[in-house]
Amino acid sequence: TMLTAISMSAIATNGVVPSGGSYYMISRSLGPEFGGAVGLCFYLGTTFAGAMYILGTIEILLTYISPSAAIFKAEEAGETEAMLNNMRIYGTCIIILMAIVVFVGVKYVNKLALVFLACVILSIIAIYAGVIKTAFDPPDFPICLLGNRTLSKRNFDVCAKFTESNNETKTTTLWNLFCDSSLLNATCDDYFSLNNVTEIQGIPGIMSGVLADNLWSTYSEKGSIVEKKDQPSVAGSEEIKMGGLPYVFTDIMTYFTMLVGIYFPSVTGSNRSGDLKDAQKSIPTGTILAISTTSFIYLSCIVLFGACIEGVILRDKFGEAVNGNLVVGTLAWPSPWVIVIGSFFSTCGAGLQSLTGAPRLLQAIARDGIVPFIQVFGHGKANGEPTWALLLTAGICEIGILIASLDSVAPILSMFFLMCYMFVNLACAVQTLLRTPNWRPRFKYYHWTLSFLGMSLCLALMFICSWYYALIAMLIAGCIYKYIEYRGAEKEWGDGIRGLSLNAARYALLRVEDGPPHTKNWRPQLLVLLNLDSEQLVKHPRLLSFTSQLKAGKGLTIVGSVLQGIFLDKCTETQKAEENVKALMGVEKTKGFCQIVVSPNFRDGISYLIQSAGLGGMKHNTVLMAWPQSWKQTENRFSWKNFVDTVRETTAAQQALLVAKNIDLFPTNQERFTEGNIDVWWIVHDGGMLMLLPFLLRQHKVWRKCKMRIFTVAQMDDNSIQMKKDLQMFLYHLRLNAEVEVVEMFENDISAFTYEKTLVMEQRSQMLKQMQLSKNEREREIQSITDESRGSIRRKSPSSPQSIGQDAQALLTDYREEEAQLIHDRNTASHSAPAVKASVAAAVPEKVQMTWTKEKFVAEKHKPKDSNVSGFKDIFNMKPEWGNLNQSNVRRMHTAVKLNGVVLNKSQHAQLVLLNMPGPPKNRKGDENYMEFLEVLTEGLDRVLLVRGSGREVITIYS
C-alpha cells in the first residue's frame, strides 16, 4: 500500500483530481476501458466492504454489548443460524439508518466521523496502557491444559480431574467428559489417564518472556488440537475419535499466504477526493501519513500481543479456552468496554465511509458516460449529492447483508481492491516510462521501478490470497472492459495506453523498415483506389467488400481516392469524402486507413497515392482498382488514359496490380457461395500472385466452399501431359489444393471476326501514322531495351514447372520492341518444353546475358516471319507497333479472341476468373488498342480479376 500511495501521490499531483479518486486517476491515465472496469470493481468492493462493516457492527452488538437484544434465540434455531437471522434484521435497520444519515449530508457524516475517530484512538491508547500494566500487574486470565492440549472451557468450570472436599474425592465435570462414568475406576480416555491437568495464565505479561515462544510460526492443519509447546505430555493410543472431547480445535488450515489474505483487506483508499479542498496537497500527505500510522499501530500491536499473551490463546479463534471472553478487552486498561465500544464505533464509521465513498465513485463513472446503462446514477441533488447512486449502493449493501455470511464474498473484495491498486501503480509506471509531455507531477519522490514493484506485489498478492478468486475478479473486470470497449462512448482523455500504442507502433515501424519482407511473409498490402461521385460517395462499394474478403482482417489496407481541384478550396469536401469512405469501411468491416488526395488533375492524384501512401515499412505492395466500365466515352475523366497510366505507374513502382472487372457483380460480405470454382488462367509465371490470391480468398466465409482450378495453355509442340505433371508437382510443393488442366490451343486461320474487331480498333485509334524511326535510332532503341531487361530479369523460380511454355526472358519483362522480341524468340526457343528447360538451365545466374550486333539484327530482320514462334503469349508481352493494321496486330487480336473463347468454354460459370494481365505497350499510340484487347480477352465473363505481378516471387515451396 505504501508503494501504491507513492504512485497515487504522483498521479494526484499531476493536475486536478475531481471526485472519483482512484477511478479518476486510472481512467485518465490508462483510458476509459481500464478505468471503467477497475472503477466498477472498486465500487462493488467498497459497497460490499460496507456490508461487511455493518455485519461486524451487529456481531459486536449481539456478542459483547447486549446478547439479550437478539430477536432469534440460539435455543430455537441452531446457534449460527440464529446469529445470521439476527444479523439480517438488524443489518437492514442499520443500513436504512446510515443511508438516511448520508442522504442528509456529507457534513454530518464528517462530524460523526470525528466522534468515531475519537473512540478508536481512545481504544488504541487503552491497548498500549494495558500492555504497560501487564509488566507489573498481569490480569487474572486462566486457561486449562490437559498435557499440552488446550481445553475448551465452554462445558466445565473447574480445571481439575477431581476435587477433595471433606476428605472425599469427587470427580469433576471434566472427568465426566473424558470417562464413561463419574466413578474413580471408570474407563477413561487414554490420553486423559496418562496426563495431568494444569492451569496457566493466559496473559502472563510483557516481562514473562512469552515472546520467545511466540516468535516463530505455528501453522496447523484443519481440525488439529491447539497445543502448547514445552509442556510435558505423554502420548496415548489415539484410536478413539477426539470429536466429542472438549479440546480446542483449529477450524481452518493455516499457512502464510492465507493469513496475508485475511489481513490485507484492513487497508483503505482515496474515494472522496472530490470533497477535499485541495486534493493535490491532501492526497499525498494524507494517504502516506495514514498508511504510516496504521502500519505502525498494526505492527506494534502484533509484537506486543505476542509478548503478552500465550500462543494457545492467540491461535484459539473463537476464544473457547477463555469462555468466549474478548482477549484484547481483558488486556486493555482500564476496562474491556473501551475496546468493545471502540470497535463498535470503528466498524460503524467504516460502514458510513463506504456508504459515502461508493456512491460518489459510481456517480463519477456515470457522469463520464462510458457505461451507458449506469448513466442515470450520475444525477443527484442540486448540490451534487449522488442520490440515485446512494440508493443503488444501499441496495447492493442490503444484498450483502441478506447473504449475511460474508466469508464467501470477503476474498473477492480484497481482489477488487488489489486490482485497483495494481492499476494505480501501472498508470504511474506507464506515464513515467512514456515520458508523456503532460506528466509533470508536483510530488517528486516517485520512480517507475517503485510503481512496477508495487504492481507486481499486488498481482502476486492476488494469486497468493486465493488464485481462483483472483481469476474470478479478473474475469469480471475483463467482461466490463470488453463491454465498455464495445458499447461505451469514444473518449479521448489523452490516456497513457494510447500513448503506449503510439510508442509500440513507432517501434514496430522502425523494426519493419529494414528491408523487403521474405517471400514467406509476403502478403498483399493493398492500396485500394476508389472512385467518388459528385456527392463524395463511393461509386463501387463492392470493391471494399472484395478487399475485406481478400484480407480477412490481416495486413495493411489503405483506401485511397482522388478529388480534383485545389486543396484550399476542397477542405470541407475532403473531410466529407473521408467520413463517407470511413463509414463504408466500417460497414464492410474493412480494417485499414483512408487517404484522400486533392490534385489539380485526376491522373497526378493517383500517381501521388501510388508513390506516397503508407509509412516506412508499412507501404502497400499491391494496387487494387476497378475496371473503367465507360472507358469508351471520350469525355469521361476516368478514361482509359488514366487507367493505362496507372498500370504503367504500378509497374514502375514495382507493385502488383489487381483489376476487378464487373466489380458490381462481386459478392457482398453477407453472401455465401455454396459451390463453384475459382479459375486461374496461368499464362505467364508472375511470381506466384495468381496462386496466392485464390488461397487468400478462400480463407473468407464468402469463398470458402469454392474449389480452385488452374488452367494453363499448351501449344502445338508442347508436351501437355508432362506440363500437367510438372504443374501438379509444383502445386503439391506449394501445399495448394487445386485441379490442374492443360488446355491445348492451335493456330488456326485467322477468322473474319478477328479482322473486323481489328479494323474497328484501328478506326478508333487516331494515331494512324506509325513513327518512322531511322535505322540508327532503331538500333539505339534495341540497345537500351536490352540494357533495361538485363537489370530487371530474374531467373524463373526453379520450383515452378519449367514447361509452362514461356522462356525466362519473357517471364517478367513487358516492354519489348517487336524486332528485339523476334530476335530473342529466335535465339532462345521455339516454345517446346525441352527447349524451355534448357533456357532455364542457361538462365541459372541471376541475369540473362544477351549480346546484340548490327549484323545479327539485320540478318534477323530479313528472315521470313514464322507464325508459330510468336504464339498466344505475345499478348502478354505487348509490342509497341499498334499504329497501323499490321500482320502482328491482327494476329494478336486473333490470339485474344481465341484465348477468350477457350476461357469462356471452361470458365463461363466460374464464380471468379483470375487472368494474367498483359503489360501496356511502350508506345503510347497503342493505348486504346490495348484497352480493346483487354475488353476482348475478358468478354462474356461475369467476375474477372486481372492480375499483374510485381516481378518478385510471392510464394515459396520452402517452409
Side-chain angles (χ1 to χ4, degrees):
T1 47
M2 186 51 98
L3 290 171
T4 308
I6 291 171
S7 300
M8 191 168 74
S9 305
I11 300 176
T13 56
N14 185 49
V16 181
V17 180
S19 64
S22 16
Y23 155 73
Y24 182 84
M25 299 178 197
I26 294 174
S27 65
R28 295 313 185 269
S29 305
L30 295 178
E33 295 89 358
F34 280 115
V38 178
L40 281 175
C41 289
F42 196 62
Y43 165 73
L44 286 175
T46 314
T47 310
F48 273 115
M52 280 173 76
Y53 292 135
I54 291 166
L55 292 175
T57 311
I58 300 152
E59 203 169 335
I60 293 168
L61 178 76
L62 295 181
T63 315
Y64 299 114
I65 298 178
S66 165
S68 56
I71 300 170
F72 296 90
K73 298 285 184 278
E75 296 79 55
E76 296 162 22
E79 193 175 347
T80 48
E81 193 52 41
M83 188 60 171
L84 291 182
N85 286 335
N86 287 327
M87 281 183 169
R88 286 180 182 121
I89 288 177
Y90 278 108
T92 309
C93 301
I94 290 187
I95 265 229
I96 293 168
L97 201 72
M98 282 187 175
I100 290 168
V101 171
V102 175
F103 178 74
V104 169
V106 131
K107 55 175 184 287
Y108 298 104
V109 177
N110 292 346
K111 283 191 178 117
L112 277 172
L114 287 172
V115 177
F116 295 151
L117 181 66
C119 297
V120 174
I121 289 173
L122 276 174
S123 51
I124 291 169
I125 293 169
I127 292 173
Y128 285 119
V131 169
I132 294 165
K133 182 173 171 283
T134 61
F136 47 86
D137 179 18
D140 181 36
F141 201 55
I143 50 174
C144 193
L145 302 176
L146 167 63
N148 65 354
R149 299 176 176 179
T150 320
L151 294 175
S152 162
K153 266 201 184 157
R154 301 238 175 214
N155 304 325
F156 66 93
D157 41 7
V158 181
C159 183
K161 291 188 184 181
F162 28 73
T163 51
E164 302 268 340
S165 63
N166 309 331
N167 290 340
E168 191 183 343
T169 307
K170 276 188 181 170
T171 54
T172 58
T173 327
L174 184 60
W175 176 283
N176 291 344
L177 290 172
F178 280 95
C179 303
D180 55 2
S181 78
S182 57
L183 303 171
L184 284 169
N185 60 358
T187 318
C188 291
D189 175 73
D190 213 4
Y191 190 83
F192 183 74
S193 313
L194 294 169
N195 289 284
N196 293 328
V197 174
T198 46
E199 191 168 53
I200 58 166
Q201 278 303 326
I203 304 181
I206 198 166
M207 305 303 279
S208 64
V210 75
L211 180 63
D213 298 341
N214 289 338
L215 206 53
W216 309 113
S217 54
T218 317
Y219 298 126
S220 54
E221 296 292 318
K222 180 179 179 175
S224 55
I225 299 171
V226 177
E227 297 176 343
K228 177 172 164 52
K229 285 185 288 189
D230 314 328
Q231 188 79 3
S233 160
V234 182
S237 57
E238 298 287 335
E239 287 94 50
I240 308 162
K241 290 210 319 289
M242 292 184 277
L245 303 175
Y247 294 126
V248 175
F249 296 103
T250 53
D251 73 327
I252 46 172
M253 178 180 168
T254 51
Y255 43 93
F256 175 74
T257 53
M258 192 212 78
L259 297 177
V260 170
I262 289 177
Y263 170 71
F264 187 81
S266 52
V267 200
T268 55
S270 63
N271 262 9
R272 288 174 49 202
S273 51
D275 299 334
L276 297 168
K277 258 202 198 107
D278 179 0
Q280 289 198 37
K281 260 192 192 150
S282 318
I283 287 181
T285 41
T287 317
I288 290 173
L289 283 175
I291 289 174
S292 313
T293 317
T294 48
S295 303
F296 171 75
I297 291 172
Y298 279 144
L299 291 171
S300 61
C301 282
I302 289 167
V303 175
L304 291 174
F305 287 171
C308 293
I309 305 171
E310 267 297 347
V312 284
I313 291 195
L314 291 174
R315 291 197 299 284
D316 169 13
K317 185 172 169 183
F318 299 108
E320 306 268 336
V322 292
N323 217 350
N325 273 325
L326 202 55
V327 180
V328 183
T330 315
L331 175 71
W333 176 87
S335 150
W337 282 103
V338 182
I339 296 294
V340 173
I341 302 292
S343 50
F344 177 78
F345 280 134
S346 169
T347 48
C348 238
L352 262 179
Q353 292 292 358
S354 295
L355 270 186
T356 322
R360 282 178 162 57
L361 175 58
L362 182 65
Q363 186 185 33
I365 300 174
R367 281 189 173 162
D368 275 342
I370 51 174
V371 185
F373 68 86
I374 62 166
Q375 273 175 318
V376 62
F377 299 110
H379 308 305
K381 290 194 294 193
N383 60 354
E385 287 295 309
T387 321
W388 291 106
L390 176 64
L391 279 174
L392 180 71
T393 308
I396 296 174
C397 262
E398 180 59 30
I399 292 170
I401 280 162
L402 292 178
I403 298 173
S405 161
L406 265 187
D407 284 357
S408 45
V409 187
I412 204 161
L413 307 187
S414 317
M415 297 304 153
F416 285 156
F417 288 132
L418 273 168
M419 199 155 54
C420 178
Y421 301 152
M422 181 171 87
F423 278 106
V424 168
N425 282 312
L426 175 67
C428 181
V430 165
Q431 299 269 47
T432 315
L433 285 174
L434 281 180
R435 299 204 183 91
T436 322
N438 190 44
W439 177 247
R440 336 179 259 279
R442 285 213 180 84
F443 180 84
K444 293 295 176 212
Y445 310 102
Y446 68 93
H447 193 265
W448 67 268
T449 44
L450 293 178
S451 304
F452 211 78
L453 180 66
M455 187 177 88
S456 316
L457 281 173
C458 285
L459 190 63
L461 267 177
M462 282 174 77
F463 283 94
I464 282 171
C465 294
S466 151
W467 61 268
Y468 44 93
Y469 275 121
L471 289 177
I472 293 171
M474 284 178 164
L475 187 72
I476 293 172
C479 291
I480 302 173
Y481 178 94
K482 278 315 232 184
Y483 174 79
I484 295 174
E485 191 179 58
Y486 172 65
R487 282 301 309 276
E490 280 291 313
K491 293 281 177 208
E492 183 44 79
W493 287 329
D495 51 82
I497 290 294
R498 199 176 165 84
L500 202 59
S501 310
L502 281 168
N503 254 13
R506 176 181 144 270
Y507 173 74
L509 275 171
L510 290 172
R511 284 288 302 274
V512 171
E513 182 86 88
D514 294 345
H518 188 273
T519 304
K520 279 185 278 190
N521 294 336
W522 194 94
R523 56 165 76 244
Q525 315 283 21
L526 290 180
L527 167 64
V528 186
L529 295 177
L530 290 181
N531 288 338
L532 304 177
D533 59 17
S534 53
E535 296 292 308
Q536 268 70 54
L537 294 169
V538 178
K539 270 195 178 166
H540 303 294
R542 295 284 173 92
L543 203 55
L544 282 180
S545 317
F546 184 66
T547 307
S548 51
Q549 288 157 27
L550 187 61
K551 303 298 287 181
K554 304 284 188 300
L556 171 78
T557 309
I558 301 172
V559 180
S561 190
V562 178
L563 293 181
Q564 215 163 341
I566 293 177
F567 183 60
L568 289 178
D569 311 337
K570 293 271 180 182
C571 281
T572 46
E573 285 172 50
T574 311
Q575 279 174 338
K576 186 180 166 191
E578 198 163 323
E579 281 162 20
N580 291 344
V581 172
K582 279 186 176 163
L584 185 64
M585 284 167 77
V587 171
E588 296 294 351
K589 295 191 173 63
T590 310
K591 292 198 168 62
F593 309 99
C594 168
Q595 197 164 345
I596 307 285
V597 170
V598 180
S599 159
N601 68 53
F602 194 73
R603 155 93 189 65
D604 290 349
I606 287 185
S607 173
Y608 301 155
L609 275 173
I610 290 172
Q611 288 174 62
S612 64
L615 178 65
M618 286 294 274
K619 275 189 81 68
H620 59 281
N621 54 25
T622 307
V623 176
L624 169 63
M625 58 192 297
W627 173 262
Q629 298 290 5
S630 51
W631 64 272
K632 291 183 185 175
Q633 299 165 6
T634 41
E635 72 287 344
N636 182 14
R637 66 181 174 132
F638 310 117
S639 65
W640 47 272
K641 282 200 177 87
N642 289 340
F643 177 77
V644 180
D645 280 339
T646 306
V647 178
R648 285 199 175 95
E649 303 226 316
T650 52
T651 310
Q654 291 179 331
Q655 290 166 6
L657 176 67
L658 310 177
V659 179
K661 192 158 183 249
N662 303 334
I663 185 66
D664 297 326
L665 298 176
F666 275 63
T668 60
N669 287 333
Q670 282 67 47
E671 286 176 51
R672 300 280 180 271
F673 288 136
T674 46
E675 56 180 6
N677 299 310
I678 299 178
D679 286 357
V680 177
W681 284 82
W682 195 39
I683 296 158
V684 177
H685 179 65
D686 58 352
M689 237 351 228
L690 279 170
M691 310 290 183
L692 192 60
L693 291 174
F695 168 76
L696 292 172
L697 273 178
R698 287 183 58 218
Q699 309 291 311
H700 196 274
K701 293 183 179 115
V702 175
W703 304 93
R704 195 161 287 162
K705 299 266 174 56
C706 293
K707 292 193 172 58
M708 182 171 158
R709 297 194 302 184
I710 293 189
F711 295 92
T712 187
V713 184
Q715 281 181 274
M716 198 77 114
D717 36 14
D718 285 338
N719 178 348
S720 358
I721 296 162
Q722 185 58 38
M723 244 170 133
K724 184 166 180 175
K725 273 189 191 159
D726 286 347
L727 190 49
Q728 279 169 331
M729 197 61 192
F730 182 42
L731 288 173
Y732 172 75
H733 283 313
L734 287 176
R735 309 165 306 282
L736 293 174
N737 295 326
E739 269 178 59
V740 174
E741 220 174 302
V742 177
V743 180
E744 304 200 333
M745 217 174 122
F746 304 123
E747 297 291 325
N748 290 345
D749 293 335
I750 294 170
S751 60
F753 168 71
T754 315
Y755 265 109
E756 189 195 349
K757 273 274 182 190
T758 312
L759 282 166
V760 171
M761 182 173 91
E762 298 285 334
Q763 285 156 4
R764 285 187 42 98
S765 171
Q766 276 115 41
M767 310 158 216
L768 284 169
K769 296 254 190 225
Q770 188 193 0
M771 222 161 95
Q772 289 297 322
L773 291 173
S774 71
K775 208 170 182 191
N776 287 352
E777 282 173 318
R778 274 194 176 174
E779 283 182 87
R780 210 173 307 130
E781 188 80 322
I782 288 174
Q783 190 56 48
S784 73
I785 295 299
T786 27
D787 292 347
E788 183 187 305
S789 59
R790 279 200 186 120
S792 65
I793 294 168
R794 298 256 176 94
R795 62 187 170 84
K796 186 170 180 178
S797 136
S799 58
S800 65
Q802 270 63 25
S803 50
I804 302 303
Q806 174 69 346
D807 54 81
Q809 172 63 23
L811 278 186
L812 307 169
T813 40
D814 318 294
Y815 307 137
R816 223 38 106 249
E817 294 298 318
E818 176 126 69
E819 288 86 344
Q821 181 64 39
L822 244 169
I823 295 165
H824 184 58
D825 279 355
R826 292 276 199 180
N827 281 355
T828 46
S830 65
H831 287 282
S832 63
V836 169
K837 280 182 179 160
S839 83
V840 169
V844 168
E846 278 293 287
K847 297 190 174 60
V848 177
Q849 296 302 324
M850 291 156 70
T851 328
W852 302 98
T853 60
K854 188 174 175 182
E855 291 74 40
K856 251 189 187 177
F857 170 61
V858 174
E860 289 290 350
K861 196 174 171 190
H862 293 300
K863 273 188 184 173
K865 286 193 178 179
D866 174 3
S867 65
N868 245 3
V869 169
S870 45
F872 66 95
K873 295 204 175 85
D874 282 356
I875 186 173
F876 295 95
N877 299 287
M878 288 287 173
K879 320 297 189 305
E881 293 181 36
W882 295 83
N884 57 0
L885 183 58
N886 58 19
Q887 197 59 32
S888 92
N889 218 358
V890 174
R891 194 175 68 247
R892 208 170 275 112
M893 184 50 112
H894 168 64
T895 309
V897 173
K898 286 283 292 179
L899 193 52
N900 176 254
V902 175
V903 173
L904 267 181
N905 179 25
K906 296 283 183 186
S907 306
Q908 188 159 21
H909 301 298
Q911 303 290 14
L912 179 63
V913 178
L914 285 89
L915 270 167
N916 280 116
M917 179 176 179
K922 184 150 195 175
N923 184 345
R924 290 173 179 269
K925 289 179 184 172
D927 285 4
E928 210 166 339
N929 305 347
Y930 169 65
M931 296 297 286
E932 197 75 64
F933 255 21
L934 292 179
E935 199 68 82
V936 169
L937 189 63
T938 55
E939 207 164 10
L941 296 167
D942 280 351
R943 286 183 278 267
V944 184
L945 190 63
L946 292 168
V947 180
R948 181 156 178 68
S950 58
R952 61 161 291 170
E953 291 293 330
V954 299
I955 195 164
T956 173
I957 60 170
Y958 302 106
S959 68

